[in-house]
Amino acid sequence: MVQKQSISRKLFVVFNTVLLAVITILGIIPFIHLLSISLSSNSAAMAGEVKLWPVGFSWDAYVYLGEKVEFFRSLWVSVQRVVLGTIINLFLVFITAFPLSKSNDQFKYRTPYVWFFAITMFFGGGLIPTYIMVKNTGLIDSMWALILPGALNVWNMVLMLNFFRSIPRELDEAATIDGAGHWRILWKIYLPVSLPSIATIGLFTIVGHWNAWFDGILYLNSPDKYPLQTYLSTLIMSMNAQMSSISLEQLKAMENLSEKTLKTAQIFMGALPIMVVYPFLQKYFVKGMTVGSVKE
Amino acid sequence: MRTLKKEYLLHLMLLPGVIVTLIYAYGPMAGLIMAFQQFEPLSGFFKSKFVGLDNFRYVFNLPDFNQVLWNTLIISILKMILFLLVPLILALLLNEVTKKWFSSFIQSAIFLPFFLSWTVLGGVIIELFSLSGPVNGMITALGLEPIMFMLDNQWFRGIIIGTDVWKGMGYNMIVMLAAIVGINSTLYEAAEVDGAGRWKQMIHITLPGMAPILILLGVLSLGGILNAGFEQILIMYNPTVYEGADIIDTFVYRLGMFSQQFGPAAAVGLFKSVISLVLVSVTYYAAYKYNNYRIF
Amino acid sequence: MKKIRPWKMILLVSLTLSLFTACSSKEQDNSTSSATKEDSKSNTTPPDPLGKYPELVTVTEVLGYNPPEDPRTPKGIKPEENAYFKDLKEMMNIEIKYKWTVPSSQFEQKFALAMASNDLPDIMELDQKNFEKLKKQDMLADLTEAYEQYASPALKKYMQSDDGFAMKTFESDGKQLGIPAFEDPFLSAQLLWVRQDWLENLNLQAPKTMDELNKVAEAFVKNDPDQNGKNDTYGIAMQKNLFFWGFDLRGFFNGFGAYPSIGDNQSAWIKNSEGKLVPGLIQPEVKTALSMLQTWYQNGIIDKEFALKDENKSVEDLTAGKVGMSYGEWWYPNWPLNLNVDKDPKAKWIAIQIPGLEGSGHSLVPKIRSNKIFAVNKKAKNPEAAIKLMNFYIEMGNKKYMDQNKAEKGYVYNWFNPRIYNPAQIETIYTEVNKALDAKQTEITLDDENYKNVADVFKAAKDYLAGDTKSASKGVNWGQYYSRAAKDGGWGMTRKLKESKAYVTNEFYGLPTASQVEKGTQLDKLMQESFTKIIMGAPISEFDKFVTSWKSLGGDQITQEVNDWYSKNATK
């Protein structure tokens, strides 16, 4: 079997490998660039001389970073947010997608429910009304303000319900005959077979929580509660473009912005933890689990 | 009796999701009223003056509105197509990679740029395509005239589209990979017994197996037809390419920045929502009618 | 000057007696009012501006903050741990509670939310727009009486430094609704910063006229001024915003007698011979300047890709030593030229008056330079506390607090609000430091609330002149010295400009008019597109098309509105 296709197959494999390798390099380059800047001398970094290799090699930025209380404080907040947020999000996605993945004859009200959720993908009230709602429900200045308003991600839920549909219907029919209720079917049958899709959606949820920064600014009242990306966004701040003059004080702030290597080191370190998550989750993306694992 | 009990449990499962959505998605929608008001934050929604359709009239009558709408459509439609095509090709190619570590390494690398914000990437990309950048370096090495990519309306659009696809393609690719994983592996085994080659397997098993997800991604991306990538363009554009790259969102942003006009911004938001909803509904029912498939 | 409408006065007078005293004292000239005040309140002793409340008074604030500036500040300190608070409580028995704190780049956003959810603090830092909004909704407390009674002599002196012009801008119907933090408008005057060492390398003189500038700029591009054997320099720093707060071309245009903008992309307003205001943006001088830029673009004197660069990129180029000249304000040595000096020991920058067509040009300066106003919520229980806080902050600049008031002890001055500076601070620094340097003193003799600011610059100046780099790098010391104290430096040259009256005033300082709000974005886009294209080679006749469009797209209307404002409100 292998010998038969060998020549065209080999050619394809070579071509495929080269192409993917090029794409891989394109993905990694910006990180190498950031890493190089963070390992360069500040003056070389400020002058924009650093490309893909450090200029005037220096560990200083990372030494300073080690003393940055703010960085580690917000890193810890982010970890808490990701763990708590992901668990809640996944749970809600899971129990919401299940009823909606039923066909209309299994669940009569499916369609109105689905549209009830889907509409929110297109219509939103905007910043101020959402803020007022979060405030009125008493979440301002707490971690819950970052978790509850987006606790049910409709887009992920729709993905999940489509994954659920690919589960053969015979499975839950068989279980129903055995006398299992919805709840048991959900946890005993759906959960184990949908691990790959949970891993996928879990990844998106983790990344979503990790990357979110603006809600931190809006809903939290003091910077020591900021998650990491919110804190980082304050470093990359640009001056208000509307300003027509720079005051004595803003000038001092500009001088401080000159610590480019430290800034870059923090951006780099901020992306690092999440890079590790992907390979970890990947082991759940296993082929053929869908059917094989159910028959005990 | 039995069905009633069954359905009651399904309603119960939906309850948490419904509550969260009602409070944090439907609650703030009251704010859509701003689109019809001369909204003043201090007066709030109840005391701001109603101006009927004035906000819509104001925005649609701005001299550049047509051009801006056109730019938005071109950029977003091209992005939409590529966001389906490129990840699909990548997912299929990755599916052919037999070495597991290589495959997972590539997946991680492709997903990486997703973690960097445009604020960080924008400058790097401008540099890349500048006269003294590496791209022009290669062009001049080939003996050709250097090109001012970022100052040319056609090139600039291409770069906007290309880099956005590069940054975001990992996301859809992972969804598609998950869909491939979900395909029943016995189908491949059967095909192999029948002597079908890799190419045939892809055409007859993999692609049809992915169809639901592809349709889902396609339809939902239509919902974003008026979003051409605000943050990216805001960071990368310049006055010479306003003609080809000024989009609705950047336009509204400049309106708001200068004069904090909440009403017109809300009107544009509402306009975008309605268009998305209409497009998605039409394709939803088309998919149902011709393919008997409900995307959600 | 604003007139007080009589019927409103009557209404107010009939309301309460206490209001009556406040208003009537306001009717009289400001300078004599304090005397009247004491008369009318003869049986009570005037309150001590730094006095202590018998019981703890809590006021709420919100804070948009930047990181502490001094590297010696304790790590991880939070705004509510600011050491100023401890002293404040001891001295005045006032406690500040933050409703929220946010990095300053996000302050505007967050404040808009606070307004929308009606959750405003007692003491507020406002920009002009928000001040007007709150004023319209009648949400600001009248500070007239609090200011008269509680303002310390130093604070009053500051507010009088421009004869009360800034104060008057934030007064309405005889009520003082805000205390402005303002600076000397001449801080906005334009200079030309030039690499002296490049001039020397090429045997050139600092340019005085446009023709000379042209020659120098060309030489800076073509004759390898940095002598590194590479063709890697260009003449003048430029970025995509032609009119900005720095690294822009306001000074260049001014050299042609063109006054397009004060830095915000909106037109500046110049008084013509008939006493009317005309938009500087569409005057024929602008066309001349643009055609010169077009030639420069062709000759490579300005970066071919200037339209891609923002201010950060300009800073990179300056730091890297790729640029020989940049138009800008007095502060360049402070940042970013100091970075270039630290990077390249040979680099030497000088400031010169902007070259004009014949001799040096006239720079555009604003009428008023203020971007924040402190105001008090009408619901606040102790409006006078705001004034006392200002007194407190000014007081803390005195020499006697210097042992205590140090960054390493947790004093973070830029987190303390409301802080009002001496509007003449830079002038005080200049005179005092020079006095001490000329007399070869080892320490400054000044002993008032300006001590800290003057002492800091004096130390930097001394260190720089002695080549001492123990406490800061050469660039940082030089930056402090050359921007504020040197006679031929940033402020030194600005003073000369002021004395020789080499300036033109932007006469409009009101809020954006209705048409400016509605059409401003359009006109801004039109200007940026047209000007950039002309510079990059479009026919110069495009400018006439631009003028026509500008007028018909709302410019004429704006001109009308600005002139209406001028005849009504402006202090001429």
Side-chain angles (χ1 to χ4, degrees):
Chain A
M1 185 179 74
V2 182
Q3 285 101 349
K4 206 175 115 194
Q5 315 164 317
S6 62
I7 292 178
S8 65
R9 180 74 193 161
K10 260 183 190 156
L11 264 175
F12 170 77
V13 169
V14 171
F15 164 78
N16 194 17
T17 312
V18 171
L19 182 71
L20 289 173
V22 169
I23 293 172
T24 306
I25 292 168
L26 285 180
I28 296 174
I29 275 182
F31 282 89
I32 297 182
H33 179 65
L34 289 178
L35 185 63
S36 307
I37 291 181
S38 69
L39 288 173
S40 296
S41 77
N42 199 35
S43 63
M46 281 303 296
E49 285 168 355
V50 186
K51 303 288 180 242
L52 292 175
W53 196 253
V55 178
F57 186 89
S58 150
W59 282 106
D60 285 1
Y62 288 90
V63 176
Y64 285 127
L65 179 61
E67 298 169 9
K68 266 265 177 221
V69 183
E70 292 91 344
F71 180 85
F72 293 100
R73 192 164 58 198
S74 58
L75 178 65
W76 175 233
V77 175
S78 267
V79 170
Q80 288 172 294
R81 171 185 185 167
V82 166
V83 171
L84 196 62
T86 306
I87 291 173
I88 291 177
N89 279 35
L90 280 180
F91 177 76
L92 274 181
V93 161
F94 201 62
I95 62 166
T96 312
F98 177 73
L100 300 182
S101 69
K102 302 280 158 206
S103 63
N104 280 42
D105 52 286
Q106 283 172 305
F107 183 35
K108 212 166 41 183
Y109 301 99
R110 194 200 87 87
T111 313
Y113 269 119
V114 157
W115 279 101
F116 168 83
F117 289 116
I119 289 213
T120 63
M121 284 198 280
F122 314 113
F123 284 88
L127 201 69
I128 294 178
T130 312
Y131 175 84
I132 293 177
M133 210 60 204
V134 171
K135 188 169 165 166
N136 288 346
T137 44
L139 302 186
I140 292 293
D141 209 23
S142 84
M143 169 90 76
W144 294 107
L146 310 180
I147 294 173
L148 283 186
L152 179 65
N153 182 316
V154 177
W155 162 246
N156 284 344
M157 192 271 287
V158 168
L159 264 189
M160 194 63 157
L161 91 86
N162 273 280
F163 284 130
F164 277 169
R165 283 196 188 139
S166 65
I167 296 172
R169 217 162 136 177
E170 301 82 53
L171 276 181
D172 49 314
E173 273 164 13
T176 317
I177 291 165
D178 289 350
H182 288 304
W183 198 247
R184 264 197 66 188
I185 293 175
L186 178 61
W187 296 112
K188 296 280 178 212
I189 298 176
Y190 276 55
L191 181 64
V193 298
S194 38
L195 279 180
S197 36
I198 291 178
T200 309
I201 289 171
L203 174 72
F204 292 159
T205 313
I206 291 172
V207 170
H209 272 297
W210 186 266
N211 275 359
W213 63 275
F214 194 53
D215 51 357
I217 297 270
L218 290 183
Y219 302 138
L220 300 178
N221 284 348
S222 63
D224 48 304
K225 296 188 181 116
Y226 282 175
L228 189 63
Q229 295 301 327
T230 309
Y231 162 70
L232 290 180
S233 77
T234 66
L235 297 178
I236 334 175
M237 70 161 183
S238 56
M239 301 290 284
N240 187 351
Q242 269 301 94
M243 196 171 67
S244 61
S245 64
I246 183 164
S247 74
L248 292 168
E249 271 183 31
Q250 284 159 335
L251 185 59
K252 288 203 180 163
M254 299 301 284
E255 288 170 51
N256 271 19
L257 284 187
S258 308
E259 292 178 336
K260 193 169 176 181
T261 52
L262 179 57
K263 218 163 68 181
T264 313
Q266 295 186 73
I267 294 170
F268 182 79
M269 293 303 285
L272 206 55
I274 201 81
M275 286 188 225
V276 192
V277 170
Y278 186 74
F280 172 76
L281 283 174
Q282 228 175 13
K283 67 174 181 220
Y284 294 100
F285 295 14
V286 191
K287 231 176 188 173
M289 251 181 121
T290 330
V291 182
S293 60
V294 192
K295 296 170 186 162
E296 288 158 63
Chain B
M1 185 60 213
R2 173 108 196 217
T3 46
L4 196 72
K5 193 193 158 211
K6 267 168 76 178
E7 294 224 341
Y8 140 83
L9 199 68
L10 294 177
H11 287 290
L12 200 67
M13 284 183 189
L14 289 170
L15 192 64
V18 168
I19 293 175
V20 170
T21 309
L22 265 183
I23 298 179
Y24 295 109
Y26 280 91
M29 277 189 212
L32 290 173
I33 205 168
M34 278 196 291
F36 308 97
Q37 285 181 328
Q38 191 181 341
F39 182 73
E40 273 293 329
L42 280 168
S43 318
F45 303 110
F46 303 111
K47 281 182 253 158
S48 286
K49 202 171 96 198
F50 276 89
V51 292
L53 293 177
D54 274 6
N55 287 327
F56 293 89
R57 233 170 269 140
Y58 169 70
V59 173
F60 295 147
N61 286 335
L62 285 170
D64 293 334
F65 189 78
N66 288 336
Q67 186 203 34
V68 164
L69 183 63
W70 179 239
N71 287 342
T72 311
L73 285 176
I74 288 192
I75 294 175
S76 82
I77 289 173
L78 285 173
K79 275 186 179 176
M80 211 180 279
I81 295 169
L82 288 176
F83 263 124
L84 284 178
L85 215 58
V86 175
L88 176 64
I89 294 170
L90 283 176
L92 292 174
L93 287 180
L94 269 169
N95 197 36
E96 299 301 318
V97 173
T98 39
K99 287 197 190 67
K100 222 169 162 225
W101 67 266
F102 187 53
S103 164
S104 78
F105 179 71
I106 298 170
Q107 288 175 41
S108 308
I110 291 177
F111 201 44
L112 269 185
F114 192 78
F115 296 111
L116 292 178
S117 65
W118 280 116
T119 343
V120 174
L121 282 177
V124 180
I125 287 168
I126 291 176
E127 196 119 324
L128 208 62
F129 289 97
S130 74
L131 276 181
S132 53
V135 176
N136 266 313
M138 279 186 255
I139 290 176
T140 40
L142 293 174
L144 300 169
E145 279 294 300
I147 301 167
M148 291 204 271
F149 291 102
M150 306 298 279
L151 296 175
D152 178 288
N153 275 297
Q154 294 309 318
W155 279 114
F156 185 75
R157 259 190 209 157
I159 286 168
I160 285 287
I161 294 164
T163 52
D164 196 32
V165 171
W166 163 76
K167 181 173 185 281
M169 63 192 179
Y171 196 95
N172 276 356
M173 181 193 74
I174 285 170
V175 178
M176 290 179 189
L177 279 173
I180 294 178
V181 167
I183 295 170
N184 195 335
S185 54
T186 50
L187 292 177
Y188 290 103
E189 286 153 24
E192 217 129 291
V193 173
D194 290 350
R198 289 281 197 172
W199 179 254
K200 284 226 163 97
Q201 288 180 21
M202 188 189 90
I203 299 286
H204 296 292
I205 303 171
T206 316
L207 278 178
M210 293 170 76
I213 284 291
L214 291 178
I215 296 175
L216 170 74
L217 292 176
V219 171
L220 287 183
S221 69
L222 274 178
I225 193 153
L226 293 179
N227 296 325
F230 166 66
E231 208 196 349
Q232 180 198 16
I233 294 184
L234 183 75
I235 283 165
M236 287 168 53
Y237 75 169
N238 61 70
T240 39
V241 292
Y242 277 169
E243 211 177 295
D246 197 11
I247 56 166
I248 296 181
D249 290 340
T250 48
F251 187 69
V252 170
Y253 171 80
R254 292 203 310 271
L255 276 185
M257 208 173 65
F258 182 64
S259 46
Q260 295 181 335
Q261 301 190 69
F262 292 97
V268 170
L270 190 57
F271 168 72
K272 284 168 63 182
S273 299
V274 171
I275 299 282
S276 314
L277 185 65
V278 169
L279 278 177
V280 171
S281 309
V282 168
T283 44
Y284 175 94
Y285 283 107
Y288 180 52
K289 207 168 164 201
Y290 297 111
N291 217 359
N292 198 20
Y293 172 63
R294 287 181 193 274
I295 49 168
F296 48 71
Chain C
M1 190 180 147
K2 220 168 185 166
K3 284 200 193 94
I4 297 163
R5 294 187 188 83
W7 63 269
K8 253 193 179 160
M9 274 311 303
I10 296 165
L11 192 72
L12 284 172
V13 165
S14 57
L15 273 177
T16 56
L17 198 71
S18 64
L19 263 178
F20 172 70
T21 30
C23 292
S24 64
S25 72
K26 194 68 209 167
E27 266 188 317
Q28 286 154 30
D29 193 357
N30 262 344
S31 53
T32 59
S33 62
S34 55
T36 333
K37 175 77 42 183
E38 261 153 46
D39 283 351
S40 68
K41 296 221 164 191
S42 49
N43 40 2
T44 51
T45 47
D48 178 4
L50 298 172
K52 193 170 185 172
Y53 281 111
E55 267 164 51
L56 183 70
V57 167
T58 308
V59 293
T60 53
E61 283 187 10
V62 297
L63 177 72
Y65 72 99
N66 287 317
E69 275 152 13
D70 201 305
R72 286 163 294 188
T73 311
K75 297 229 175 327
I77 187 172
K78 303 174 196 170
E80 48 279 12
E81 293 164 354
N82 200 346
Y84 276 103
F85 287 8
K86 192 175 71 259
D87 293 359
L88 177 67
K89 209 169 167 183
E90 262 165 41
M91 194 191 291
M92 297 185 162
N93 215 8
I94 301 178
E95 191 177 60
I96 294 176
K97 278 245 152 53
Y98 288 123
K99 274 179 171 304
W100 44 262
T101 55
V102 76
S104 55
S105 55
Q106 304 294 337
F107 180 80
E108 212 177 315
Q109 184 83 258
K110 189 104 177 156
F111 196 78
L113 290 172
M115 291 206 292
S117 56
N118 203 359
D119 192 15
L120 293 170
D122 292 338
I123 299 174
M124 294 174 275
E125 177 190 326
L126 302 171
D127 58 15
Q128 215 184 353
K129 271 182 219 162
N130 285 334
F131 175 81
E132 280 309 307
K133 277 184 190 161
L134 290 162
K135 183 175 110 181
K136 240 192 253 164
Q137 304 281 329
D138 193 23
M139 291 174 87
L140 298 179
D142 179 8
L143 297 175
T144 318
E145 203 182 328
Y147 177 77
E148 289 304 333
Q149 289 194 23
Y150 288 91
S152 66
L155 178 59
K156 282 190 175 157
K157 188 178 78 195
Y158 293 175
M159 290 301 126
Q160 279 305 317
S161 66
D162 63 345
D163 299 321
F165 175 70
M167 279 289 266
K168 211 160 282 167
T169 313
F170 302 102
E171 190 190 282
S172 159
D173 294 331
K175 294 183 198 165
Q176 191 68 46
L177 297 179
I179 310 288
F182 60 97
E183 294 171 335
D184 191 325
F186 281 90
L187 293 174
S188 296
Q190 295 294 307
L191 301 167
L192 180 62
W193 294 93
V194 187
R195 278 286 291 261
Q196 169 75 23
D197 54 321
W198 287 15
L199 287 175
E200 282 161 12
N201 287 346
L202 302 175
N203 277 322
L204 289 165
Q205 293 295 313
K208 289 200 182 63
T209 65
M210 275 293 166
D211 287 339
E212 288 171 30
L213 175 68
N214 199 15
K215 285 196 195 91
V216 171
E218 211 168 325
F220 276 7
V221 177
K222 298 191 173 142
N223 301 350
D224 190 23
D226 54 356
Q227 296 177 335
N228 67 351
K230 279 186 231 154
N231 182 15
D232 59 352
T233 52
Y234 50 98
I236 290 215
M238 185 164 163
Q239 49 139 333
K240 62 179 168 188
N241 298 294
L242 301 182
F243 316 118
F244 202 57
W245 50 261
F247 323 109
D248 58 336
L249 292 178
R250 281 171 295 167
F252 175 77
F253 279 85
N254 290 173
F256 286 89
Y259 304 97
S261 169
I262 195 76
D264 55 1
N265 282 346
Q266 303 292 318
S267 180
W269 299 87
I270 311 300
K271 195 155 54 174
N272 70 3
S273 49
E274 295 152 36
K276 288 250 182 216
L277 296 192
V278 293
L281 191 61
I282 59 169
Q283 302 309 312
E285 290 85 359
V286 175
K287 190 176 175 181
T288 326
L290 281 174
S291 72
M292 175 97 164
L293 281 176
Q294 199 178 52
T295 328
W296 277 10
Y297 184 82
Q298 277 159 10
N299 297 344
I301 289 173
I302 46 182
D303 189 348
K304 285 260 182 266
E305 289 184 308
F306 75 91
L308 293 184
K309 301 199 162 178
D310 59 7
E311 71 278 14
N312 299 320
K313 203 75 189 113
S314 295
V315 169
E316 273 187 15
D317 286 345
L318 281 169
T319 309
K322 286 188 191 155
V323 198
M325 289 184 275
S326 179
Y327 280 101
E329 295 167 10
W330 61 276
W331 45 264
Y332 275 32
N334 207 156
W335 179 84
L337 298 187
N338 62 323
L339 299 171
N340 177 238
V341 168
D342 274 339
K343 191 166 182 298
D344 177 2
K346 283 182 304 206
K348 211 179 141 210
W349 288 86
I350 53 165
I352 59 172
Q353 303 279 10
I354 54 171
L357 289 171
E358 295 146 26
S360 54
H362 288 197
S363 172
L364 185 68
V365 291
K367 194 89 180 168
I368 174 171
R369 191 176 142 114
S370 157
N371 35 29
K372 58 182 180 184
I373 304 122
F374 292 106
V376 175
N377 194 331
K378 206 166 195 180
K379 291 182 212 149
K381 280 199 207 82
N382 298 84
E384 75 287 351
I387 308 288
K388 297 192 69 154
L389 289 176
M390 293 172 195
N391 297 338
F392 168 76
Y393 181 75
I394 296 169
E395 170 72 13
M396 289 299 286
N398 271 307
K399 193 176 180 180
K400 60 179 163 181
Y401 303 103
M402 280 311 111
D403 291 339
Q404 193 57 31
N405 189 352
K406 280 184 179 148
E408 55 266 43
K409 294 194 173 158
Y411 286 80
V412 186
Y413 84 92
N414 58 327
W415 287 353
F416 187 88
N417 247 352
R419 52 183 195 283
I420 298 273
Y421 293 112
N422 182 358
Q425 189 192 82
I426 191 157
E427 180 63 22
T428 312
I429 291 173
Y430 178 86
T431 12
E432 292 298 330
V433 172
N434 274 310
K435 212 161 68 189
L437 285 178
D438 291 346
K440 302 215 160 44
Q441 285 164 234
T442 49
E443 223 173 297
I444 56 166
T445 41
L446 179 84
D447 187 16
D448 66 5
E449 78 284 355
N450 294 307
Y451 178 83
K452 188 177 183 348
N453 290 312
V454 176
D456 287 350
V457 177
F458 181 66
K459 178 167 179 358
K462 251 187 0 190
D463 284 355
Y464 168 69
L465 296 172
D468 182 350
T469 53
K470 276 202 289 294
S471 40
S473 71
K474 180 188 163 204
V476 168
N477 285 332
W478 170 78
Q480 288 280 333
Y481 167 72
Y482 203 70
S483 60
R484 292 171 175 81
K487 285 171 184 148
D488 57 350
W491 184 246
M493 291 309 281
T494 307
R495 288 178 94 241
K496 285 184 192 147
L497 175 154
K498 192 175 176 180
E499 276 162 22
S500 60
K501 297 226 165 8
Y503 62 89
V504 171
T505 315
N506 177 27
E507 297 288 341
F508 181 68
Y509 58 91
L511 275 178
T513 68
S515 301
Q516 274 179 326
V517 168
E518 204 179 317
K519 317 277 187 187
T521 323
Q522 288 304 196
L523 297 178
D524 175 22
K525 181 176 170 179
L526 178 72
M527 184 276 287
Q528 291 199 41
E529 267 187 311
S530 315
F531 284 18
T532 313
K533 281 186 182 157
I534 292 173
I535 296 171
M536 290 175 64
I540 191 73
S541 59
E542 285 286 315
F543 181 76
D544 305 319
K545 270 190 222 154
F546 159 74
V547 173
T548 323
S549 314
W550 189 86
K551 287 178 155 183
S552 64
L553 280 174
D556 276 339
Q557 226 172 317
I558 293 174
T559 310
Q560 188 57 46
E561 288 167 359
V562 166
N563 274 295
D564 289 348
W565 169 89
Y566 189 59
S567 55
K568 238 183 277 160
N569 296 302
T571 325
K572 286 167 192 163

